[in-house]
Amino acid sequence: MIKRFFIGAFCAASLLSCTQKAPEAEVTLKDYFGDKFLIGVAVNVDQSWERDTLGAAIVKKHFNSVVAENCMKSEEIHPTPFTWNWGDADQFVKFGEENGMTVIGHCLIWHSQCSPWFFTDENGKQVSAEVLKARMRDHITAILTRYRGRIKGYDVVNEAILDDGSYRNSKFYEILGEEFIPWAFKCAHEADPDAELYYNDYSMALPGKREGVVKLVKSLKAQGLRIDAVGMQSHMGMEHPDFVEYEKTIQALIDAGVEVAITELDMDAIPTVSFGASVEDEAAYSAQMNPYPEALPDSVSQIWNDRMKQVFSIYEKYQDHICRVTVWGVQDGDSWKNDWPMKGRTNYPLLFDRNYEMKPFLKDIINKK
Ligand code: XIL
């Protein structure tokens, strides 16, 4: 009897002390940023199929928007004129929807990871402008029709402007000239009049690129075409971009009458090999350029975290005009920056480390330190 009393008393006491010491509910990224802008992440197929259970759990817990890292690019989703791989894209959209996230489509027209069949006929001869336009329209229409009402907006054209503001000499440009961009926006709007439409590019802090993109936005608007936002990819490094120039671009886009989306945020913690984000760039491995294969030293981590804190303070400053901040991958080990443009490096560019632990600067921000 006495024994039972003690056990009972002990349980009640420990329950009480448990309740008293219960940690405060953890603030998530979407709790904190939710009323400012969407906080998104690029997911790979292992995450959207939930084979990577830890990664998928972070996505569900912290983010309220998703974009597909690769599975909606034309070479993946539409590898031959008559073959469509809908499986991964369908799953990606379902994953986003089932978890109440805003789903973003990336990307419709891009020179890279592009199916080569777009540009040639059965005999390998370059197609005419009319044929390419029809192929673009069919490609865009099929995707937007399939995901009507489920994908909120699309990167309609990706990376068409060079750093000096001129047009990239892609196959689309070679065959159609400047017209390929308005054509893509027109087809997208016709296929889903409710979808938001974006132009997306890297190195947006460079004055030449800024001017070129602003000119493009103005020209699309002057043609009466829908463009809701410009995506600033924001693949950064420890020394680039210059934040004064970066802010100038945000302001210039606002002045041009579009919203700003930060679409592919990451920041090298190791030396940047290629500025920008041209996926074709390649460099031979050098151990010197891979200085922290085991772990990031605290001193470097501190600089990285301070710089990222500054980046997010810019986003908060312009929150009325920034519709979304999307980071390009879940945890450091997932990042394309481990292999681009030099294969086999260990980089630390994302918001969560390889143990799925949130980086310190972000804990500070969301806990308002
Ligand atoms: C990258 C992916 O992250 C990699 O997995 C892939 O091998 C190459 O493309 N700009 C873009 C993104 O718009 O689609 C690119 O994504 C990174 C640069």
Side-chain angles (χ1 to χ4, degrees):
M1 179 67 177
I2 291 177
K3 195 171 162 202
R4 218 184 284 156
F5 169 78
F6 274 120
I7 292 174
F10 175 75
C11 286
S14 53
L15 194 68
L16 191 67
S17 69
C18 258
T19 359
Q20 280 168 345
K21 283 189 199 146
E24 280 176 43
E26 192 191 343
V27 183
T28 67
L29 296 187
K30 60 186 175 192
D31 290 338
Y32 179 80
F33 291 113
D35 61 351
K36 305 181 198 307
F37 36 70
L38 288 168
I39 183 84
V41 63
V43 292
N44 60 34
V45 287
D46 285 335
Q47 288 147 357
S48 48
W49 284 101
E50 302 200 51
R51 294 187 287 254
D52 170 5
T53 48
L54 294 175
I58 292 280
V59 176
K60 291 190 221 177
K61 180 171 172 182
H62 284 288
F63 295 91
N64 54 20
S65 175
V66 276
V67 61
E69 185 178 5
N70 285 304
C71 74
M72 293 188 72
K73 293 171 180 174
S74 72
E75 73 173 5
E76 298 272 341
I77 201 169
H78 196 182
T80 78
F82 308 107
T83 330
W84 286 90
N85 288 332
W86 293 113
D88 286 340
D90 285 356
Q91 176 58 29
F92 155 73
V93 175
K94 185 164 168 262
F95 173 77
E97 246 176 1
E98 284 180 354
N99 293 294
M101 298 186 277
T102 299
V103 182
I104 303 295
H106 172 82
C107 49
L108 299 173
I109 297 296
W110 186 26
H111 67 283
S112 196
Q113 290 179 278
C114 176
S115 295
W117 62 262
F118 265 101
F119 313 110
T120 48
D121 65 17
E122 326 68 74
N123 306 314
K125 233 182 103 223
Q126 184 156 301
V127 294
S128 66
E130 285 321 301
V131 170
L132 180 56
K133 280 174 83 172
R135 288 181 175 183
M136 287 171 65
R137 191 188 50 224
D138 293 349
H139 176 76
I140 292 171
T141 307
I143 296 174
L144 273 79
T145 307
R146 190 174 184 92
Y147 300 120
R148 222 177 173 160
R150 302 175 69 198
I151 290 192
K152 184 181 185 196
Y154 289 86
D155 292 334
V156 179
V157 174
N158 198 23
E159 303 177 357
I161 305 287
L162 294 175
D163 292 352
D164 66 0
S166 63
Y167 283 87
R168 178 189 297 280
N169 197 15
S170 66
K171 276 281 166 202
F172 291 108
Y173 183 77
E174 190 187 321
I175 300 172
L176 286 174
E178 295 175 18
E179 194 202 351
F180 88 89
I181 304 180
W183 176 246
F185 276 82
K186 184 173 186 300
C187 295
H189 187 55
E190 280 170 8
D192 181 357
D194 294 326
E196 291 188 350
L197 307 180
Y198 321 125
Y199 173 78
N200 193 47
D201 216 325
Y202 61 77
S203 294
M204 289 289 296
L206 297 180
K209 179 87 83 167
R210 177 197 307 138
E211 278 158 34
V213 173
V214 163
K215 204 166 140 203
L216 171 66
V217 167
K218 288 185 176 159
S219 136
L220 291 172
K221 283 181 171 281
Q223 294 172 65
L225 292 164
R226 176 170 186 168
I227 174 163
D228 296 271
V230 166
M232 296 173 65
Q233 291 186 6
S234 308
H235 294 290
M236 300 183 174
M238 295 286 234
E239 272 143 26
H240 77 102
D242 172 334
F243 291 147
V244 173
E245 295 297 320
Y246 190 72
E247 278 197 50
K248 276 192 201 162
T249 300
I250 296 177
Q251 191 57 55
L253 293 171
I254 297 168
D255 295 344
V258 281
E259 295 207 291
V260 176
I262 307 301
T263 51
E264 304 184 14
L265 178 65
D266 54 27
M267 187 191 286
D268 288 324
I270 58 177
T272 293
V273 178
S274 285
F275 293 86
S278 180
V279 298
E280 293 83 17
D281 290 356
E282 268 183 66
Y285 181 81
S286 119
Q288 222 186 357
M289 297 304 264
N290 187 26
Y292 318 119
E294 305 304 333
L296 193 63
D298 287 347
S299 56
V300 183
S301 168
Q302 181 72 51
I303 299 171
W304 186 94
N305 274 278
D306 288 349
R307 198 167 151 77
M308 263 300 195
K309 201 170 197 172
Q310 217 181 326
V311 171
F312 272 80
S313 74
I314 297 175
Y315 300 156
E316 294 200 48
K317 174 170 168 193
Y318 292 94
Q319 60 181 269
D320 292 347
H321 301 280
I322 291 185
C323 51
R324 172 170 54 98
V325 174
T326 289
V327 60
W328 203 244
V330 179
Q331 51 94 1
D332 286 341
D334 297 324
S335 172
W336 76 304
K337 290 272 191 107
N338 293 298
D339 287 307
W340 177 89
M342 186 180 277
K343 282 208 168 55
R345 297 198 299 166
T346 304
N347 208 337
Y348 306 84
L350 298 176
L351 302 187
F352 291 82
D353 69 18
R354 285 172 173 76
N355 296 317
Y356 300 88
E357 183 69 28
M358 191 186 288
K359 300 275 175 85
F361 88 92
L362 209 45
K363 285 187 183 165
D364 284 359
I365 292 179
I366 67 179
N367 295 312
K368 301 203 175 75
K369 280 188 197 150

